[in-house]
């Protein structure tokens, strides 16, 4: 099969994702007079969702479950995505992890094609992370960006209704222009899940840490020029991803 994926480094995404989730959660707007204002946005937040009576557990995507072997994941891919357009396997020389990336022509809830990458841990050789990405290349229209935003809202609605450990999740975090962490959470076992949008317009608010600070009106931040992306990511271990680490004193 002639593959034409854009250049990607799949395996390091496991380490970057674990760090990113940890940093996102550490930047939650806790109340403290010493903290500066932080940007948050209710853009993309679901207004209707089912309230669950149980805690959320990060498990997997489709039939692929975190902890599966390489062959089990390949079987799950074949069952879930019979219309795969392209497939690529990689071994990362630095993290010493293995990955499968597939391109599918359509995947709900977002419009258009999607790339799904399955990353296997260095030591366990079992599925340690799943990253799903919908990318609108070029200069998407406002309607296309809105459709991507709506899909992010749908994904977040499947998460926010569950019980989460105190201080383990954030919603509406704005780490940069046109970027929105719709939801990022960590379950009681240390697994992580995140819904993140890039290249969308946001109604951003500046929330001061002081509880008696005056409210500020939301400011509309238009979408930046260029591509837009929705990413749905799941990892089995946020704080200690299963990647190669040199032995102490090796250098």
């Amino acid at each position: 099969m002639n593959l034409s994926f854009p250049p990607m480094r799949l395996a390091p995404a496991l380490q970057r994702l674990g760090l990113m989730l940890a940093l996102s959660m550490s930047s939650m707007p806790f109340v403290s007079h010493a903290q500066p204002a932080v940007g948050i946005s209710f853009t993309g937040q679901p207004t209707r969702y089912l309230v669950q009576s149980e805690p959320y557990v990060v498990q997997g995507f489709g039939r692929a479950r975190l902890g599966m072997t390489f062959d089990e994941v390949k079987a799950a891919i074949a069952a879930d995505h019979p219309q795969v357009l392209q497939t690529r396997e990689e071994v990362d020389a630095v993290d010493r992890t293995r990955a499968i990336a597939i391109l599918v022509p359509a995947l709900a809830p977002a419009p258009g094609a999607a790339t799904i990458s399955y990353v296997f841990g260095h030591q366990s050789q079992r599925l340690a992370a799943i990253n799903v990405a919908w990318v609108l290349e070029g200069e998407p229209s406002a309607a296309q960006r809105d459709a991507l935003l709506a899909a992010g809202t749908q994904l977040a609605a499947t998460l926010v209704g569950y019980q989460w450990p105190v201080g383990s999740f954030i919603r509406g975090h704005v780490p940069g222009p046109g970027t929105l962490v719709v939801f990022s959470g960590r379950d009681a076992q240390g697994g992580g899940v995140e819904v993140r949008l890039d290249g969308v317009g946001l109604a951003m608010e500046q929330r001061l840490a002081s509880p008696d600070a005056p409210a500020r009106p939301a400011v509309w931040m238009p979408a930046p020029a260029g591509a837009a992306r929705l990413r749905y990511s799941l990892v089995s271990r946020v704080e200690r991803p299963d990647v190669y680490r040199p032995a102490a004193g090796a250098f």
Side-chain angles (χ1 to χ4, degrees):
M1 181 181 294
N2 183 23
L3 303 184
S4 58
F5 280 100
M8 293 187 296
R9 286 177 57 80
L10 297 175
L14 172 61
Q15 189 170 31
R16 290 196 301 271
L17 178 61
L19 177 62
M20 177 268 293
L21 283 167
L23 291 178
S24 293
M25 293 170 193
S26 68
S27 60
M28 246 180 125
F30 294 109
V31 174
S32 168
H33 288 278
Q35 285 189 337
V38 294
I40 67 167
S41 176
F42 289 106
T43 302
Q45 288 299 320
T47 56
R48 300 181 64 183
Y49 50 85
L50 293 176
V51 176
Q52 308 288 343
S53 60
E54 59 188 21
Y56 186 87
V57 179
V58 179
Q59 299 183 50
F61 185 76
R63 291 179 175 84
R65 319 309 283 172
L66 296 172
M68 278 185 169
T69 66
F70 192 83
D71 289 339
E72 287 173 336
V73 171
K74 290 189 74 173
I77 292 172
D80 284 341
H81 308 288
Q83 303 299 322
V84 168
L85 299 177
Q86 298 173 351
T87 302
R88 187 171 74 186
E89 297 182 13
E90 284 191 347
V91 175
D92 185 83
V94 177
D95 290 343
R96 301 187 186 180
T97 51
R98 189 179 185 186
I100 306 173
I102 65 171
L103 179 65
V104 295
L107 184 67
T115 299
I116 312 173
S117 61
Y118 305 84
V119 185
F120 298 82
H122 162 62
Q123 291 186 326
S124 68
Q125 293 296 302
R126 291 180 176 270
L127 185 61
I130 305 171
N131 299 307
V132 187
W134 295 264
V135 181
L136 302 177
E137 300 287 359
E139 194 62 48
S141 67
Q144 289 175 313
R145 294 181 196 271
D146 287 346
L148 207 62
L149 178 62
T153 302
Q154 285 184 256
L155 288 171
T158 67
L159 302 170
V160 298
Y162 283 89
Q163 298 177 13
W164 294 86
V166 176
S168 69
F169 70 93
I170 60 170
R171 296 171 61 182
H173 177 51
V174 182
T179 297
L180 174 66
V181 178
V182 186
F183 183 91
S184 180
R186 186 186 309 176
D187 68 19
Q189 290 74 41
V193 59
E194 182 172 275
V195 180
R196 182 187 182 101
L197 284 155
D198 293 285
V200 295
L202 306 172
M204 193 171 74
E205 299 181 9
Q206 292 292 328
R207 289 294 183 92
L208 296 181
S210 172
D212 56 357
R216 295 185 180 184
V219 177
W220 175 251
M221 308 293 290
R229 179 178 68 172
L230 168 62
R231 185 174 65 194
Y232 179 56
S233 302
L234 307 103
V235 294
S236 58
R237 298 190 315 192
V238 173
E239 293 187 346
R240 288 188 58 83
D242 187 0
V243 297
Y244 172 72
R245 293 181 177 85
F251 297 101

